[in-house]
Amino acid sequence: MSHVFPTYNRLEIELVSGKGTEVQDQNGTSYLDFISGIAVCNLGHSPSVVKEAVEEQMSKLWHVSNLFSITKQEEAATLLASASGLDAVFFCNSGAEANEAAIKLAKKHTGKTKILTFKQSFHGRTFATMSATGQEKIHSGFGPLLPTFEYLPYNDESALSKVKGEDVAAIMLEVIQGEGGVNPGTLSFLQAVEAKCREMNALLIIDEVQTGAGRSGLPFAYQHYSLDPDIVTVAKGIGSGFPVGAMLGKEALIPTFSPGTHGSTFGGNPLAMAAAKATMETIFDEGFLQDVQRKSVYFINKLNDQLIENPIVKEVKGIGFMIGISFHKEVKDIITELRDNGLLALPAGTHVVRLLPPLTVTDEELDRALHILISTINQHQSAEVY
């Protein structure tokens, strides 16, 4: 019997080693990892630049309280501010914690109580972020949720136009819904959300936990849409596997988060900041991001070219290396067969195969993955026809 709560549907394989895009299980079987720890290992597994930075910090100091100044925290915050155009950063340990901070900041700053989110969104599994999430399966069994969240249909400008309310503190969204199915927002919808925030004197919160840290080919996915958020949350890919989350905000919000209003024992500690700083210095480099854009455009175009006439495939969607292949059938068996054929992928809902390769994936690895994907999907097409 395991002494770990069964909160995850775990596979029978255990990944025991990895470098770059390739990982090995306990039996020595190798896989191309297009999960990346769910968009965490953006520099691949065991990136040397992060390993060296963490080892250097480990030889000096592991942890201190936030009662003390932490230089690497300031340096990491400067990188985030420069890449985002925002002004201040609160460090924590996860995306859910970053979203908790955003919810608190928005309510305290505006003095209002209601936050609008969207159906099929995902913002975390704490009680507040679970309440913010627009998916019934996340809510089930936990009794009454926090009453201050209201869910709107995503990409629906008509529903958005009908929103009224002086009590709305913020609208919170993902510009590409991840867990909800890899659903990119349309330009007109996202810009309408920002306009609605300004109309209601509410804050715009963008959850970049999965889409940030270069995954879209820009530092943050909202930058594809020329949006001007008040608050941005990020985690996952900024730490290369170290638990790092961050909430970014505009200068006007700084006085609201004064001493004693929020905190985190481990948030921004020296080891985490060493990992985050080294990760972001690499990812936010313009040449690095241009290469991500080149490779992802190539990969998405190849998927579209080779799957466009496949009758079981509905569409290929996403931006950068946050890609979904939507099917007219459930994808559980497809994901299992991809794994058997050497490619790790994951679902986004029941009908979407989600692909999140490391941003450092090579051209050769992309071609290998394409071969596995196309051959596996074509086998399913043949079985459906038969």
Side-chain angles (χ1 to χ4, degrees):
M1 162 182 157
S2 171
H3 293 286
V4 177
F5 270 109
T7 50
Y8 307 101
N9 288 317
R10 297 182 191 270
L11 302 173
E12 293 183 0
I13 65 173
E14 179 182 1
L15 301 180
V16 296
S17 63
K19 184 68 177 174
T21 308
E22 294 210 25
V23 291
Q24 292 76 39
D25 69 14
Q26 75 275 28
N27 299 314
T29 303
S30 292
Y31 306 87
L32 288 173
D33 183 4
F34 274 44
I35 298 176
S36 301
I38 313 183
V40 168
C41 301
N42 285 9
L43 295 181
H45 293 275
S46 307
S48 57
V49 65
V50 179
K51 178 184 176 185
E52 290 166 6
V54 171
E55 287 178 342
E56 180 184 353
Q57 184 60 47
M58 287 183 73
S59 69
K60 297 176 180 176
L61 190 67
W62 291 21
H63 176 78
V64 296
S65 160
N66 277 301
L67 294 172
F68 298 90
S69 297
I70 301 173
T71 296
K72 278 195 169 57
Q73 195 175 114
E74 293 288 347
E75 293 170 345
T78 298
L79 288 167
L80 282 167
S82 176
S84 67
L86 295 170
D87 301 294
V89 180
F90 172 81
F91 286 109
C92 50
N93 310 287
S94 69
E97 289 181 47
N99 284 334
E100 285 271 353
I103 291 165
K104 285 181 65 174
L105 178 57
K107 289 189 173 187
K108 184 170 175 57
H109 184 77
T110 63
K112 303 176 185 180
T113 58
K114 183 182 290 187
I115 293 180
L116 305 180
T117 63
F118 293 90
K119 295 177 181 178
Q120 294 307 114
S121 61
F122 183 83
H123 298 294
R125 292 183 182 272
T126 64
F127 215 83
T129 57
M130 176 179 71
S131 298
T133 294
Q135 297 190 52
E136 176 58 33
K137 68 179 183 180
I138 304 297
H139 303 160
S140 180
F142 293 101
L145 303 176
L146 296 182
T148 55
F149 293 95
E150 182 178 319
Y151 317 114
L152 302 175
Y154 195 66
N155 272 338
D156 188 332
E157 293 178 53
S158 176
L160 180 68
S161 68
K162 297 171 185 174
V163 170
K164 291 180 170 50
E166 297 179 357
D167 58 342
V168 176
I171 300 180
M172 183 177 189
L173 57 75
E174 305 153 272
V175 294
I176 309 170
Q177 291 184 326
E179 303 299 322
V182 191
N183 305 315
T186 64
L187 176 62
S188 61
F189 170 72
L190 293 173
Q191 292 184 343
V193 170
E194 182 174 324
K196 177 61 71 171
C197 286
R198 305 308 173 226
E199 174 190 318
M200 298 188 299
N201 197 26
L203 301 180
L204 174 58
I205 303 172
I206 297 184
D207 178 342
E208 292 263 4
V209 170
Q210 191 164 152
T211 53
R215 181 139 298 274
S216 72
L218 291 176
F220 300 94
Y222 71 83
Q223 293 166 331
H224 290 278
Y225 301 90
S226 300
L227 299 176
D228 182 26
D230 300 289
I231 298 173
V232 172
T233 57
V234 66
K236 290 187 180 289
I238 65 169
S240 291
F242 275 74
V244 185
M247 180 202 69
L248 293 63
K250 287 185 173 179
E251 184 177 6
L253 303 176
I254 293 174
T256 303
F257 253 21
S258 56
T261 55
H262 199 50
S264 171
T265 296
F266 295 104
N269 87 10
L271 277 183
M273 292 299 94
K277 181 173 180 282
T279 299
M280 291 188 291
E281 284 176 338
T282 302
I283 288 176
F284 291 158
D285 176 77
E286 184 176 352
F288 180 91
L289 290 171
Q290 287 175 347
D291 197 47
V292 172
Q293 293 169 25
R294 176 190 65 80
K295 291 184 294 188
S296 61
V297 167
Y298 167 81
F299 189 66
I300 290 173
N301 286 344
K302 284 288 187 180
L303 286 173
N304 274 311
D305 290 345
Q306 298 187 50
L307 295 176
I308 192 169
E309 296 183 358
N310 191 307
I312 67 170
V313 175
K314 184 177 180 182
E315 63 176 325
V316 177
K317 52 186 178 176
I319 300 174
F321 278 135
M322 187 169 176
I323 302 167
I325 306 174
S326 179
F327 289 81
H328 293 290
K329 57 174 283 182
E330 293 192 0
V331 298
K332 182 179 179 181
D333 290 344
I334 294 175
I335 287 172
T336 298
E337 291 183 25
L338 288 172
R339 184 169 65 250
D340 291 343
N341 292 332
L343 180 68
L344 301 181
L346 72 162
T350 57
H351 285 64
V352 176
V353 172
R354 186 171 19 158
L355 303 170
L356 302 167
L359 307 184
T360 52
V361 63
T362 67
D363 295 325
E364 183 270 336
E365 289 166 341
L366 288 174
D367 285 336
R368 284 167 54 197
L370 279 166
H371 175 75
I372 295 170
L373 281 161
I374 302 305
S375 61
T376 302
I377 293 169
N378 285 343
Q379 287 174 0
H380 271 265
Q381 175 195 351
S382 300
E384 290 286 317
V385 172
Y386 179 79

